[in-house]
Amino acid sequence: MPAVVVSGSGENQEFEGRITAYVIVCVIIAAFGGLMFGYDIGISGGVTSMDDFLKKFFPVVFEKEHHALENNYCKYDNQFLQLFTSCLYLAALIASFVASKVCSKYGRKLTMQIASIFFIIGVILTAGGINIEMIIFGRIFLGFGVGFANQAVPLFLSEIAPPNLRGALNISFQLFITIGILVSNLINYFTTNVHPHGWRISLGIAGVPALMLCLGSILICETPTSLIERHKVEEGRKVLRKIRGVENVDDEFDSIIHACEMAKQVKDPFRKLMKPVSRPQLVISICLQIFQQFTGINAIMFYAPVLFQTVGFGNDAALLSSVITGLVNVFSTVVSIYVVDRAGRRILLLEACVQMFISQVIIGIILFKELKTTGDNLSKGEAIFVVILVCTFVMGFAWSWGPLGWLIPSEIFPLETRSAGFAFAVSTNMLFTFIIGQAFLSMLCQMQAGIFFFFAAWVIIMGGFTWFLLPETKGVPVDAMVDKVWKQHWFWRSFMIEDDRPDVKVV
């Protein structure tokens, strides 16, 4: 399993070093993996609302969209159209298990290079697609790229950064994803009136971050942790000196050696993960990924242009509304970076539950009362109000369940099960992203306005889970989680009786 050296907070040892220009370059290059992921999330919704794309690949949907008496909620209900979006995440789920092994055996750098190659192949197939099979295969290759990138990039960012910046960089990966979503919305807005190949431009521009990641990953170094883990000890020391900008790196170097030695002692981390002592971390990590998807956020981000067209915007206005929600997404994630280590995790999650619940209930009420299955759409004022409510919902998600759904699993597992536990988190996220992506348009058709009440009900469950079962981890060193968090919690402490963890020092 990969050894992961993660900085906690509060009581953790300070190491010598500074943020160097080389580290900044490495972080920016690696971040193109996040941009690529975000671009793939956002681009599909805009492309699937373009008439030229629908006429070529989904003529039945195109006819339904332009049929005067067609059900407003069912214009885009087509399993192949949904498969175009969701197959990426099923492919990413499968790829994540392979990527975990590659990342451990061959390093973070090579894993990112493989991800970029998958991305480039996927872009060629989708942008050059001549039939539905070709574009779906392209999306599958993009999914392989997402699986490899999501495994390697967060580890790379964590291990390359100075210890005091690792927490912020963890959420910064989510920030790069939101920037990718925003960029895709902007591209779709400008290409929607480029006939007949605007959709090819939108899909083809994804090749830019893919190419940057491919070429850039040649220039960056491997992480010291990965080198030492693969028995390249002196090379690891040399790289550590380079990225820290100082000669004396002995303390941090010794801590990495120690972490790698402890990680090697666990022969079967997945078996260890199934023991009761690992139950709290595993349950919380899996539930956070499920809840993250059942907020309804990816349904909205995937299909924002389609959703806004449903309530009455034209295609251009719908894409512009998506750009607005994308901007809200980016700036709200920046808020999370600033607030998370000050206010804490629980308060952000609970506040967001209230905000998202109110937004979704009001949207559901407006659509239930005003948007009939056939005939006129919402008035302009009502449609604008729906956009404001969607932005309010996105705002709440972006400073809470979005970034914290990844941050919390990365900090609650002990070293010996961290890689295996995070693999469960990633695969769960991709599985439920696939399920929501594949089902949303059909759910919108069948449940109509009730779909927003469906997601609102899940938000209540999420709030209850957070209130009763999610302890606060702000300011708790990673290696002190068991004693300071799990053994003190009213429910989870009963699982800590058989705590047989080795004495692992994590820094």
Side-chain angles (χ1 to χ4, degrees):
M1 62 180 284
V4 186
V5 184
V6 180
S7 173
S9 54
E11 301 172 15
N12 282 15
Q13 181 181 358
E14 293 291 333
F15 297 122
E16 290 190 41
R18 55 187 172 83
I19 185 73
T20 62
Y22 184 72
V23 167
I24 294 174
V25 171
C26 289
V27 168
I28 291 173
I29 290 172
F32 277 102
L35 280 171
M36 190 75 225
F37 185 27
Y39 193 90
D40 286 332
I41 290 175
I43 204 68
S44 58
V47 166
T48 53
S49 70
M50 294 182 184
D51 286 346
D52 293 321
F53 180 81
L54 293 176
K55 280 189 290 186
K56 183 170 184 64
F57 298 108
F58 305 97
V60 174
V61 177
F62 177 77
E63 291 299 325
K64 288 169 66 176
E65 179 193 8
H66 290 81
H67 199 292
L69 299 178
E70 183 57 50
N71 189 319
N72 282 320
Y73 293 98
C74 299
K75 293 178 181 179
Y76 298 93
D77 179 22
N78 182 279
Q79 288 298 309
F80 281 108
L81 183 63
Q82 293 174 108
L83 184 63
F84 169 76
T85 294
S86 61
C87 65
L88 182 150
Y89 303 95
L90 188 60
L93 187 160
I94 296 170
S96 63
F97 291 103
V98 179
S100 178
K101 299 292 185 182
V102 173
C103 204
S104 177
K105 189 172 183 179
Y106 299 104
R108 289 51 159 155
K109 177 177 177 177
L110 180 62
T111 307
M112 286 190 289
Q113 290 173 335
I114 294 173
S116 67
I117 293 171
F118 279 132
F119 280 139
I120 291 171
I121 294 173
V123 169
I124 293 172
L125 290 174
T126 52
I130 57 175
N131 54 49
I132 190 172
E133 291 82 9
M134 191 170 174
I135 61 171
I136 287 179
F137 271 113
R139 292 285 290 180
I140 289 172
F141 272 98
L142 289 172
F144 291 156
V146 167
F148 273 73
N150 278 18
Q151 183 69 32
V153 173
L155 285 178
F156 181 87
L157 293 175
S158 172
E159 294 170 354
I160 207 76
N164 62 317
L165 294 179
R166 283 176 184 151
L169 281 177
N170 189 297
I171 293 183
S172 294
F173 180 64
Q174 175 74 15
L175 175 63
F176 294 130
I177 293 174
T178 64
I179 292 173
I181 294 173
L182 173 61
V183 170
S184 69
N185 289 332
L186 286 168
I187 296 297
N188 279 335
Y189 178 70
F190 288 109
T191 59
T192 186
N193 292 317
V194 179
H195 302 291
H197 298 306
W199 62 271
R200 293 189 188 275
I201 297 173
S202 291
L203 295 174
I205 288 177
V208 175
L211 191 61
M212 291 296 292
L213 180 62
C214 182
L215 297 177
S217 60
I218 298 174
L219 304 176
I220 62 178
C221 63
E222 182 58 89
T223 71
T225 300
S226 178
L227 290 168
I228 294 170
E229 181 185 23
R230 292 181 288 128
H231 311 294
K232 300 179 180 180
V233 178
E234 287 307 312
E235 186 178 350
R237 186 195 294 269
K238 181 179 178 181
V239 170
L240 188 60
R241 285 173 176 159
K242 181 177 182 179
I243 64 177
R244 295 292 176 256
V246 295
E247 285 297 314
N248 183 14
V249 294
D250 291 346
D251 288 341
E252 186 172 2
F253 178 77
D254 290 343
S255 74
I256 296 174
I257 291 283
H258 182 73
C260 291
E261 289 175 350
M262 292 299 99
K264 289 175 183 177
Q265 292 180 13
V266 179
K267 302 302 181 183
D268 191 348
F270 287 96
R271 183 177 180 181
K272 170 76 173 181
L273 202 60
M274 296 300 108
K275 291 185 176 182
V277 71
S278 299
R279 198 72 44 79
Q281 303 96 317
L282 184 61
V283 170
I284 286 174
S285 294
I286 290 176
C287 286
L288 284 177
Q289 304 309 313
I290 296 172
F291 292 153
Q292 189 186 73
Q293 298 311 308
F294 277 91
T295 60
I297 183 64
N298 273 344
I300 288 176
M301 299 312 291
F302 288 162
Y303 300 114
V306 173
L307 178 63
F308 291 138
Q309 279 194 336
T310 297
V311 301
F313 287 100
N315 192 41
D316 288 357
L319 289 171
L320 180 60
S321 300
S322 301
V323 171
I324 294 171
T325 58
L327 282 168
V328 171
N329 197 13
V330 170
F331 286 115
S332 299
T333 305
V334 174
V335 171
S336 180
I337 293 174
Y338 180 78
V339 173
V340 67
D341 287 321
R342 293 171 171 83
R345 284 68 161 146
R346 277 170 52 87
I347 189 65
L348 285 176
L349 294 173
L350 290 170
E351 184 280 332
C353 283
V354 175
Q355 187 171 330
M356 293 188 297
F357 176 80
I358 293 173
S359 301
Q360 290 189 325
V361 168
I362 296 176
I363 292 173
I365 292 172
I366 291 174
L367 297 188
F368 181 77
K369 291 179 63 178
E370 304 297 337
L371 184 63
K372 308 305 178 185
T373 55
T374 58
D376 293 336
N377 297 308
L378 300 184
S379 68
K380 182 177 180 180
E382 290 169 334
I384 291 174
F385 187 45
V386 168
V387 172
I388 294 173
L389 289 170
V390 169
C391 288
T392 303
F393 167 82
V394 170
M395 188 184 303
F397 176 87
W399 63 45
S400 62
W401 290 90
L404 299 185
W406 294 110
L407 173 60
I408 293 173
S410 75
E411 66 184 3
I412 61 176
F413 284 101
L415 177 63
E416 62 268 23
T417 58
R418 187 168 298 137
S419 180
F422 200 71
F424 267 96
V426 172
S427 59
T428 301
N429 185 279
M430 292 302 157
L431 174 61
F432 281 89
T433 303
F434 168 77
I435 291 172
I436 292 296
Q438 185 64 27
F440 176 70
L441 293 181
S442 296
M443 291 169 66
L444 181 64
C445 179
Q446 296 299 318
M447 301 173 69
Q448 300 181 9
I451 192 170
F452 291 96
F453 299 119
F454 170 80
F455 287 129
W458 273 96
V459 172
I460 295 176
I461 297 172
M462 293 157 50
F465 180 89
T466 303
W467 182 267
F468 291 107
L469 296 176
L470 185 64
E472 181 57 69
T473 55
K474 181 193 77 168
V476 180
V478 175
D479 55 342
M481 285 286 176
V482 171
D483 290 330
K484 292 191 174 184
V485 175
W486 308 117
K487 287 185 177 180
Q488 306 303 320
H489 192 269
W490 70 273
F491 181 75
W492 298 123
R493 64 189 178 195
S494 62
F495 294 88
M496 295 293 110
I497 298 173
E498 301 178 14
D499 183 11
D500 58 349
R501 281 195 314 128
D503 182 18
V504 180
K505 178 184 178 183
V506 186
V507 292

